Amino acid sequence: MSPSPSDAELLAAHVAGEPDAFGQLFARHRDRLWAVALRTTGNPEDAADALQDALVSAFRRADSFRGESAVTTWLHRVVVNACLDRLRAAKVRAADPLPDDLADRVVPLGVAPGGSAPVDPADAVLDEEQRRQVHAALATLPVDQRAALVLVDLEGFPVAEVATMLGCAEGTVKSRCSRGRRRLAVVLADLLGNPPGPRSVLPTDAVLSTDTVLSTDTEPSAPTPGADDEVTR
């Protein structure tokens, strides 16, 4: 392989039997795959399990990749499918409880992400409350809408690429996003400072502005497969 192999070269090397190729590929995309799993499932325990399921599946089924999409698109599709399978199996449709250790995973009061300029403690408390509300609001969405919104609005993937990830038409992705935004607008009305009236719906831009509340800077790190993980041929 070249000194800086492409994703496709790493996957091909893995299929050919290179022992370290798949680990390098996963490490390259680990943080973003973890963010998608966490936001889709709603809690770190399910996210870790789904990501592990996806990792094992991708490892074993790498030879099924035909190059019809980017390798990263294929990896995201495997991860999202693992998340949706786990949520559907558990019949999760309502809001999940927030993790007990959430306070241990956020930026301490008065400390900005990365240790930069100090943050007003009052603002930090408000940001944390907003983050709680947004995560809880996302968890109330049907899983198909949640997955579409996470990929399009939070991760910034093009609709066409998300359609490939989810195995549906572009129009379906747009419809799921539209319906999900409307539902989130109602749930987040208080957070966004616009309590809904009988017929009111917040503008889409208002919902999208909550992306800063869901910054991965304060999310737990992606789990690293250990020696006992089932990632063997």
Side-chain angles (χ1 to χ4, degrees), residues 22-187:
F22 189 83
Q24 293 178 45
L25 178 63
F26 175 69
R28 183 177 292 178
H29 300 287
R30 168 183 160 182
D31 289 346
R32 201 168 188 187
L33 293 173
W34 170 246
V36 168
L38 182 61
R39 289 168 170 172
T40 302
T41 60
N43 67 77
E45 291 78 15
D46 285 341
D49 289 342
L51 189 59
Q52 178 64 17
D53 291 346
L55 176 61
V56 172
S57 178
F59 186 96
R60 291 176 170 172
R61 295 171 42 221
D63 59 354
S64 68
F65 178 71
R66 296 289 177 260
E68 297 174 355
S69 62
V71 172
T72 184
T73 300
W74 175 72
L75 286 173
H76 276 80
R77 180 173 185 173
V78 175
V79 170
V80 170
N81 283 341
C83 292
L84 297 183
D85 287 346
R86 184 165 289 275
L87 290 174
R88 287 167 179 153
K91 299 185 181 344
V92 176
R93 289 296 183 271
D96 296 325
L98 292 168
D100 294 335
D101 64 342
L102 186 61
D104 298 330
R105 300 187 284 104
V106 300
V107 178
L109 297 183
V111 179
S116 56
V119 176
D120 187 305
D123 291 338
V125 170
L126 178 60
D127 287 345
E128 173 55 21
E129 178 59 24
Q130 289 177 334
R131 187 176 298 109
R132 285 175 176 269
Q133 292 183 56
V134 172
H135 274 289
L138 271 175
T140 67
L141 296 179
V143 292
D144 290 341
Q145 292 177 21
R146 191 191 315 178
L149 275 178
V150 166
L151 292 169
V152 174
D153 289 352
L154 302 186
E155 294 301 317
F157 285 105
V159 169
E161 195 169 350
V162 173
T164 300
M165 293 177 187
L166 298 180
C168 61
E170 292 182 33
T172 301
V173 174
K174 293 178 181 178
S175 175
R176 290 174 181 175
C177 286
S178 178
R179 283 180 284 146
R181 289 170 190 144
R182 288 178 180 273
R183 292 180 66 139
L184 278 184
V186 174
V187 175

Side-chain angles (χ1 to χ4, degrees), residues 1 8-22 59 62-63 233:
M1 290 189 297
E9 289 173 334
L10 283 173
L11 193 62
H14 164 64
V15 173
E18 170 60 43
D20 298 325
F22 189 83
F59 186 96
D63 59 354
R233 290 189 181 277

Side-chain angles (χ1 to χ4, degrees), residues 182 185-186 189 194-202:
R182 288 178 180 273
V186 174
N194 184 17
R199 298 169 57 87
S200 67
V201 175
L202 295 183

